[in-house]
Amino acid sequence: MTGLVMKKLDLIKQANNYKGEWFWKALPGYMHFIFGLAEGIVRVINMRFGYGFEFNVCYHQGDSFTWFWRTAVLIKMRTKFIKKVTSNPRFIVKFKQLWLKDMARFDKVVNEVNNTDLSVLSDEDLNDLYYKLYGHYNWAMSLGQQTDCLLSAGSEDWFHALLREQMPKLRTAELQEVFAVLSAPVYASFYKSEELDLLRLAGLITKKPGLKKVFKQNKQQKITTVLNKYPKIFSQIKKHRDSFYWAENNYHRVFNFSVSHYLKEISRIFKKDIDLLVVYKKELNQINKIKQAKQKIIKKYKVNKYITNIVRLMEEFTIIHDSKKGVILRNNHSLHLFLREISKRTGIPLIELFYSTAFEIGDILLKRKYDRKLFKQRIKACAFIFNNRSHLVVSGHDLKKLNIKKLYGIQKKITVVQGVCACPGNIEGQVRVVVNDKDFRLMKKGEILITNNTTPEFVPLMKKARAVVTEQGGMTTHAAIVSRELGVPCVIGTKNATLVFKTGDRVKVNALKGVVKKI
């Protein structure tokens, strides 16, 4: 038996023989876009910090993937961070400064990629730039992904449990009030930031009656012609595009929106016939209201320093967690540019390159060495496993040796799931389970969205939904933050809702109690 086969069997055995619980995320996406992130948070984090997510498995089938982490490691890292921030409140300041430095280095390389005509580079230079981006992305993710340790899995959010332990005299309603206020984010997500900036731009246009008129008519060619008479406003719209062109990307879809896309978005704002100034000021004041509410709660219930330090950790980690998503989406945009260029040069279909790994790009580009049969096999189903020393990609016969059902923890049939309230409400309706990119187009207004976890591209679906239910938990998750911004009832941390319910089921969502029940 060769050493390579031994390594394969060893990593698969480690996954199959693990006795503990697996925490999992499921998203639409291709293997190439998640592979680098996995290396960053397993191998690079351990090399850089001496701790981290020492083992994970990523299973791909079709155009979606499920990422499995050991729940015990998440809890261990969360405990580590809480201990650090409570013993040294300046820890979070240093952590954030380090993140900003990593992000600045990454931004510099992304800008280099965006400003380079990849088609004129030699194979060697294209290869070097690809791995330059890959290295800076891995390095940044080794820090940014640590914020995921604040995620929760199970019937109760860890912060809710901590509050109950630290403040045992609180009644249930009081505990819920303290939890809801202290866990609320004190910043605008990048989704909300873009929305606010579009409102601001619409406000500037309102001051120019002739310009406002053509935007209300929504005639794109005429809008562009008239905008040229207002170079300062046109310049700010272009700046908005440069700041948010990536905001609707994911691990599966990559958009490169032109300025005309944002002109249409501004036209849609004028169609709503709202008082722009009132709406804009209301949105801006929301963050200040949350900050004030936190101070009132801390004073009213005499919240101790231990809890207030953890609240600060959550606030700062939420900011980093959100900006980390921006790094991922911009990286995926750049990777897409590289893979398109490599596809042109090698003749390998783009979809097959989506199932290559970063470690294979050098051979593909410089030696024209690749196995298209293997790529096609991976498209059907594959998995990769990382520990802090090695990695493994399996498909075909080898994939059958991996016990996928055990990773999911599939149990007997149930009709009720329990999670945590992210935004209160009592709703009945029809389910729409969204687990891959195709499901996005099927979501109808008024349905109850059930998914593993939401990411920025889910926002249009969340706006349609009567309620949102996710398997992934934690008050710093995208679903928790955006549902509160939208005022949509939301239950998070159900663990297995996509396995319990199917599209078309009728369910009752009692978000306040965190219960979702088939009716």
Side-chain angles (χ1 to χ4, degrees), residues 185-197:
V186 291
Y187 83 106
S189 64
F190 68 69
Y191 142 73
K192 180 58 72 173
S193 296
E194 191 208 357
E195 192 177 76
L196 281 169
D197 199 46

Side-chain angles (χ1 to χ4, degrees), residues 222-239:
K222 193 171 182 181
I223 288 173
T224 305
T225 302
V226 177
L227 259 179
N228 285 319
K229 298 176 184 178
Y230 302 92
K232 288 184 179 179
I233 294 176
F234 207 173
S235 175
Q236 290 194 52
I237 294 172
K238 289 175 181 176
K239 186 178 178 182

Side-chain angles (χ1 to χ4, degrees), residues 469-482:
V469 179
T470 70
E471 294 169 324
Q472 191 180 121
M475 300 311 288
T476 59
T477 58
H478 181 269
I481 293 167
V482 176

